Amino acid sequence: MPNFLPINTILVPQGAEYKAVCRGLSGVTGSIPKVAAIPVGMKPLLKYLHQGQFLVPKSRVLIMGICGSLSDRYTVGDIVLYQDCIYQGKRLECDRTFTTQLHSRVSEKVSLVKSLTSDRMIWSAAEKLHLGETLAADVVDMEGFTALEFFNVGGVAVAMLRVVSDDCQHDIPDLTSAINSDGSLNSFPLAMAMLRQPLAATRLIRGSLTALKVLEQVTNMLFFGNRLK
């Protein structure tokens, strides 16, 4: 199936998330969007976007990846489509037309959610539940608001489709020290953080593998029209 919407660019965090989206697109013939691997975190992403050639007026950018749940309504493997992003009391909406078209494409499998963008990793279950309740947000990631703010200035339509990789009932390892200032992951601090919290690490790995498989499938579904397994 051709690029149905059309989507000009897909932005997805570098590493396993980027690879999952590329696997989902493998075999697509005809017009497919450019897929760019973005750094993790707000400041590294903003720097990356300013250095690239992304501000093409009237183009469409789809942001994909994984996210954390802030609500017991959403659990590992759930597909979510963002309505908006909030950060420090400010709220920006995703493009309604683009989002509606994506929703109709995967409607039986996707939930419309409100998202929180965080400038640091939210790893404890207690904080996730607190943020979800006080801010009326459903999921959290570290890039959404920055992307919306950047693209809104240039008249670029943005939609965000992510998969939940960790729920709000359990802690995950605090990987803050493993995220470099350029938005890349540092393998040694990552391994040490995992070793310090083995149960949480096992849960994170399982949840991430599940979410990445769904991310690959939903990418494939968007462009091939295949059903999720």
Side-chain angles (χ1 to χ4, degrees):
M1 179 156 297
N3 187 357
F4 70 102
L5 285 176
I7 298 166
N8 303 92
T9 306
I10 295 175
L11 300 182
V12 56
Q14 60 194 6
E17 295 164 80
Y18 173 76
K19 290 174 184 174
V21 168
C22 289
R23 284 195 302 272
L25 284 170
S26 62
V28 175
T29 55
S31 172
I32 63 167
K34 172 188 174 185
V35 185
I38 60 174
V40 173
M42 300 182 73
K43 287 181 180 177
L45 175 60
L46 186 60
K47 183 179 179 182
Y48 172 84
L49 292 174
H50 277 298
Q51 290 172 344
Q53 303 295 316
F54 295 107
L55 285 180
V56 180
K58 298 186 178 178
S59 63
R60 285 175 151 192
V61 172
L62 174 61
I63 295 167
M64 302 185 76
I66 59 179
C67 62
S69 175
L70 300 177
S71 164
D72 55 16
R73 293 190 300 276
Y74 305 103
T75 190
V76 173
D78 286 351
I79 304 166
V80 292
L81 188 59
Y82 290 11
Q83 293 175 297
D84 55 33
C85 294
I86 57 171
Y87 175 69
Q88 292 187 346
K90 294 182 283 187
R91 184 176 75 94
L92 292 174
E93 285 194 355
C94 295
D95 186 84
R96 290 188 182 184
T97 302
F98 190 6
T99 300
T100 298
Q101 289 174 332
L102 283 167
H103 187 254
S104 66
R105 184 76 173 173
V106 286
S107 56
E108 76 279 10
K109 294 287 184 180
V110 71
S111 301
L112 289 166
V113 298
K114 296 183 178 299
S115 76
L116 166 69
T117 301
S118 175
D119 53 14
R120 59 186 175 81
M121 187 165 182
I122 309 298
W123 57 271
S124 81
E127 186 176 16
K128 287 188 203 176
L129 285 167
H130 174 73
L131 288 170
E133 288 168 3
T134 55
L135 300 176
D138 302 304
V139 298
V140 61
D141 69 47
M142 296 175 68
E143 299 85 27
F145 188 91
T146 298
L148 276 178
E149 198 168 44
F150 176 82
F151 285 113
N152 280 359
V153 172
V156 175
V158 177
M160 301 193 195
L161 184 69
R162 292 197 180 233
V163 181
V164 175
S165 62
D166 52 283
D167 62 31
C168 62
Q169 307 294 333
H170 304 93
D171 292 351
I172 58 172
D174 181 3
L175 304 181
T176 303
S177 62
I179 302 174
N180 295 322
S181 60
D182 64 356
S184 62
L185 285 176
N186 191 328
S187 55
F188 182 72
L190 179 66
M192 294 305 294
M194 293 287 206
L195 288 170
R196 277 195 294 270
Q197 297 169 279
L199 285 176
T202 301
R203 195 177 293 116
L204 175 64
I205 291 166
R206 283 182 183 157
S208 296
L209 289 173
T210 297
L212 290 167
K213 185 64 180 173
V214 175
L215 182 62
E216 178 185 340
Q217 290 175 353
V218 75
T219 304
N220 190 270
M221 181 182 178
L222 282 175
F223 291 94
F224 281 98
N226 294 338
R227 294 288 174 191
L228 288 174
K229 297 177 180 66

